[in-house]
């Protein structure tokens, strides 16, 4: 059984953030995988929610991405859980 967390990942050297999803094994706390989302424009991305498919097989992460100096958008990604 796995547990998932979200965090911000500082994308140096420009100090823009990406969002990171991390899966851990519940029984022993070991990290199973890490995946980072960085929008195409290299601006700030911020995760707002995480959902797990109740039948297993996928984790969904959605958040906000700045796409230009004056515009934002939403980004949703799906990760297979293996």
């Amino acid at each position: 059984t796995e547990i998932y967390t979200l965090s911000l990942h500082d994308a140096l050297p420009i100090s823009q953030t990406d969002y990171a999803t991390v899966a851990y094994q519940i029984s022993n706390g070991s990290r199973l995988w890490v995946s980072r989302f960085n929008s195409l424009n290299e601006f700030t991305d911020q995760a707002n929610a995480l959902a797990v498919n109740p039948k297993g097989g996928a984790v969904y992460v959605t958040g906000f991405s700045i796409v230009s100096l004056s515009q934002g958008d939403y980004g949703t990604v799906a990760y297979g859980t293996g």
Side-chain angles (χ1 to χ4, degrees):
T1 305
E2 300 173 3
I3 189 167
Y4 308 96
T5 64
L6 292 174
S7 67
L8 291 178
H9 171 71
D10 193 15
L12 296 174
I14 56 176
S15 295
Q16 302 295 337
T17 57
D18 299 332
Y19 46 93
T21 306
V22 185
Y24 295 95
Q25 180 68 38
I26 290 177
S27 62
N28 61 15
S30 64
R31 185 173 65 190
L32 300 172
W33 54 265
V34 176
S35 190
R36 292 179 181 85
F37 175 77
N38 179 21
S39 57
L40 296 176
N41 57 22
E42 302 288 331
F43 289 131
T44 295
D45 306 301
Q46 181 177 347
N48 294 82
L50 180 145
V52 179
N53 184 324
K55 295 182 181 180
V59 174
Y60 306 94
V61 180
T62 191
F64 181 78
S65 294
I66 296 174
V67 296
S68 72
L69 295 178
S70 62
Q71 186 178 8
D73 204 350
Y74 294 95
T76 301
V77 292
Y79 301 110
T81 59

